[in-house]
């Protein structure tokens, strides 16, 4: 294992416990967060592997000659929730997650042009405007590149497309800069900026892993165990 990744993962796990030894007070989990018992149950169900493998072959982009291993971005042509409803996945996520949603006239309540996001990663209220669409992005809680490495490379294309567009389990609207900072990082090296949202995020991550039978690395498991100990 890369010693730098191990060290960062260890720090994440320590801070997840509350960072008390560093003089940082514990933070109450956000309302609706899973309990420690619920997270421990998920941790017991998920398969743990020593480290994240790198089988190769991952190519997200879909231009001619590119792999397109998870299908075109935000395609409506999928067999998951919201699939084949005439709206692309991004607009479905925004419509589901934003408050005070407004739609572009004539799109049959499909194209979201405004609303307010209660950001699940920063805890902030973020206004959404279609003109500044990049300010709010859609995150794959369990990143696509990580999923490829930890099991999805062996899936049939239809299952990968469903995973990439799964409204119920794996997609969250969030602050654009936070999403870009996260990239394809897993819990060993990344947790939401708002510590109050760690329990929520851990529950989402583990639920996706269990639902799709994806593994987590030992470092990720340690970090998530640390989060679980802070939950109610």
């Amino acid at each position: 294992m890369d010693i730098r990744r191990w060290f960062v993962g260890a720090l994440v796990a320590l801070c997840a416990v509350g960072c008390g030894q560093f003089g940082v007070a514990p933070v109450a989990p956000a309302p609706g967060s899973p309990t420690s018992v619920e997270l421990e149950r998920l941790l017991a169900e998920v398969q743990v592997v020593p480290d994240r493998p790198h089988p190769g072959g991952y190519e997200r982009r879909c231009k001619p000659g590119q792999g397109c291993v998870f299908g075109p971005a935000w395609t409506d042509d999928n067999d998951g929730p919201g699939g084949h409803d005439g709206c692309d996945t991004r607009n479905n996520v925004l419509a589901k997650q934003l408050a005070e949603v407004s739609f572009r006239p004539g799109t049959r309540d499909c194209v979201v042009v405004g609303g307010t996001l209660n950001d699940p990663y920063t805890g902030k209220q973020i206004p959404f405007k279609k003109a500044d669409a990049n300010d709010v992005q859609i995150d794959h809680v369990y990143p696509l590149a990580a999923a490829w490495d930890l099991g999805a490379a062996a899936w049939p294309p239809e299952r990968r497309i469903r995973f990439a567009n799964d409204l119920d389990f794996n997609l969250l609207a969030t602050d654009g800069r936070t999403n870009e900072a996260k990239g394809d990082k897993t819990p060993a090296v990344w947790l939401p900026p708002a510590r109050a949202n760690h329990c929520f995020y851990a529950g989402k991550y583990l639920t996706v892993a269990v639902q799709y039978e994806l593994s987590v690395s030992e470092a990720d498991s340690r970090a998530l165990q640390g989060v679980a100990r802070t939950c109610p």
Side-chain angles (χ1 to χ4, degrees):
M1 179 185 296
D2 186 320
I3 189 64
R4 290 173 298 179
R5 290 180 61 197
W6 180 90
F7 181 71
V8 173
L11 284 178
V12 168
L14 284 171
C15 283
V17 177
C19 296
Q21 59 270 58
F22 300 109
V24 180
V27 173
S33 296
T35 66
S36 60
V37 172
E38 291 170 325
L39 289 183
E40 291 292 350
R41 177 182 58 78
L42 290 167
L43 282 161
E45 290 185 44
V46 74
Q47 181 182 359
V48 179
V49 296
D51 203 358
R52 175 175 168 176
H54 294 282
Y58 175 73
E59 174 57 77
R60 175 67 173 124
R61 293 171 294 182
C62 293
K63 292 182 179 180
Q66 296 176 334
C68 199
V69 296
F70 283 95
W74 312 134
T75 179
D76 185 42
D77 188 13
N78 72 85
D79 63 0
H84 303 291
D85 68 351
C87 294
D88 65 82
T89 302
R90 174 179 165 83
N91 277 297
N92 280 336
V93 176
L94 293 172
K96 180 179 180 180
Q97 201 171 330
L98 298 183
E100 301 174 350
V101 180
S102 58
F103 298 93
R104 179 178 294 165
T107 64
R108 299 180 180 179
D109 288 351
C110 176
V111 178
V112 176
V113 296
T116 302
L117 172 67
N118 183 14
D119 184 17
Y121 289 165
T122 68
K124 299 177 180 178
Q125 296 283 325
I126 301 176
F128 171 78
K129 296 180 180 179
K130 180 70 172 175
D132 301 313
N134 203 48
D135 290 348
V136 172
Q137 299 178 13
I138 310 301
D139 179 50
H140 291 93
V141 176
Y142 198 118
L144 297 185
W148 178 265
D149 291 344
L150 288 157
W155 294 350
E158 294 80 9
R159 183 171 175 81
R160 293 200 295 264
I161 292 171
R162 179 189 175 97
F163 177 81
N165 295 276
D166 193 322
L167 299 176
D168 288 348
F169 293 102
N170 199 34
L171 297 179
L172 286 176
T174 186
D175 169 65
R177 291 184 179 179
T178 301
N179 183 53
E180 291 168 1
K182 179 192 175 195
D184 71 345
K185 298 180 181 72
T186 58
V189 292
W190 189 91
L191 290 172
R195 286 194 294 131
N197 295 56
H198 286 187
C199 297
F200 170 79
Y201 171 72
K204 290 286 288 184
Y205 194 95
L206 285 166
T207 298
V208 176
V210 170
Q211 179 73 18
Y212 281 90
E213 299 180 334
L214 290 166
S215 303
V216 300
S217 69
E218 289 180 355
D220 289 334
S221 180
R222 286 193 298 270
L224 292 166
Q225 288 169 7
V227 171
R229 288 192 287 270
T230 73
C231 302

